[in-house]
Amino acid sequence: GFDCVAFGVVEGPGVSFREAHGTRAACALRPSGGWHLPERAGALARALERRETVRCGAARRAAGAEAERGEDSGCAVVPLVHQQSVAAVLVVGEPAGGRLAPEAVRLLEQVAALAAPCVTSAVRLEQAQRRAAYLQIESDLSRLTMASPDRGQLIGMVCRGLVDRLRVTFAALVICDETGRFPVLARYASAAPFAEGVDAESWPARVLAGAGAAALAEQSPWRCDDVREQADVQPMAVGTRSVLALPIGLLGDVMGVLEVEHPAAGYFTDLE
């Protein structure tokens, strides 16, 4: 009967929140696109450090920012602890800031204790599968490099490997000129058709002008959890929600950008 439910998996230095089935779209605890909180701020930080339930105001706190109200109203952050480590957190509450009954919190703690071992096993399996996929792509690239020096073929293979093995719906790699604005060599692979306004000729320039421009300007990975919340981000493929762009460099010089897309909001985590 809770109005809000958010489930966050602890991954490295951060917590990536998943969209819970049945969660209301207007939920104050789960902003559209999911949370990525590497700083572990506020109530979330205390729950992770103390490994115990923390209660706080919910409706007046932005993603991870603790409210200045009493600790017994609004929401509860329940850690899922397994072998002295927090595998995930469960956040429940009511957008109106209503008080959570003590028996409800106790029930949540019992659920968390039962679920923690399963969550730990599932997270480890998922990470192992993703690492295996990355290693397979690396192996494929090594074989192709020995077979052909064709850069275009190599780039195309990278994109196809990302789509096939990592289940992204669109992958593009663009090598650009010194200004970072004009494509010199570009390849893509896609499991979805081009979005409206994008075609086989325009997509490289759009990559460099959109998500790619941000990655090149910052010279670091750039991530968008939900393109519907950012009007200036134009996806390349139909149905895209999450976008991840990374600058491609050689010996300290940025040469291009790699962009991948997925239809799920908040899909790309710190592991990717």
Side-chain angles (χ1 to χ4, degrees):
F2 295 116
D3 284 338
C4 287
V5 178
F7 180 81
V9 177
V10 178
E11 294 179 301
V15 177
S16 297
F17 278 82
R18 269 60 166 169
E19 180 174 352
H21 177 70
T23 301
R24 298 180 183 180
C27 175
L29 288 173
R30 188 193 54 76
S32 180
W35 291 343
H36 293 277
L37 304 174
E39 296 179 359
R40 295 181 172 183
L44 179 61
R46 298 205 304 276
L48 292 168
E49 293 169 1
R50 300 177 185 176
R51 298 197 293 272
E52 62 185 30
T53 299
V54 175
R55 303 172 71 181
C56 62
R60 295 168 180 78
R61 82 208 248 301
E66 183 182 345
E68 297 296 332
R69 298 191 58 208
E71 294 257 330
D72 63 344
S73 65
C75 72
V77 183
V78 186
L80 278 66
V81 182
H82 181 58
Q83 296 179 347
Q84 302 301 312
S85 298
V86 180
V89 293
L90 183 66
V91 183
V92 298
E94 298 149 326
R99 185 179 186 275
L100 292 175
E103 57 269 22
V105 177
R106 286 195 294 269
L107 175 61
L108 290 170
E109 291 175 340
Q110 293 174 7
V111 171
L114 292 172
C118 299
V119 173
T120 300
S121 298
V123 169
R124 289 175 178 172
L125 176 60
E126 181 183 11
Q127 291 177 346
Q129 291 173 336
R130 292 185 183 183
R131 291 191 180 99
Y134 289 134
L135 289 174
Q136 185 61 55
I137 292 174
E138 184 177 347
S139 175
D140 292 343
L141 281 172
S142 297
R143 292 198 305 270
L144 183 58
T145 301
M146 291 185 291
S148 170
D150 189 319
R151 290 193 304 167
Q153 186 179 11
L154 278 170
I155 291 175
M157 189 273 159
V158 170
C159 297
R160 176 50 56 187
L162 292 172
V163 170
D164 292 345
R165 299 188 184 279
L166 298 183
R167 301 188 299 278
V168 297
T169 50
F170 183 85
L173 201 158
V174 182
I175 295 178
C176 57
D177 65 352
E178 294 81 359
T179 67
R181 292 181 296 177
F182 300 101
V184 175
L185 182 63
R187 295 290 187 274
Y188 80 95
S190 182
F194 281 128
E196 184 178 358
V198 182
D199 55 38
E201 294 183 0
S202 67
W203 75 263
R206 288 179 179 270
V207 167
L208 293 179
L216 291 173
E218 300 174 9
Q219 296 194 13
S220 63
W222 183 90
R223 180 169 62 193
C224 176
D225 291 329
D226 194 343
V227 296
R228 299 187 305 182
E229 300 299 317
Q230 297 193 33
D232 58 336
V233 178
Q234 180 177 5
M236 299 297 109
V238 171
T240 292
R241 294 281 295 278
S242 298
V243 177
L244 178 66
L246 303 102
I248 302 299
L250 178 65
L251 301 178
D253 295 327
V254 175
M255 301 176 60
V257 63
L258 172 67
E259 177 181 318
V260 288
E261 301 181 3
H262 195 273
Y267 177 79
F268 298 109
T269 68
D270 292 337
L271 180 63
E272 279 82 15

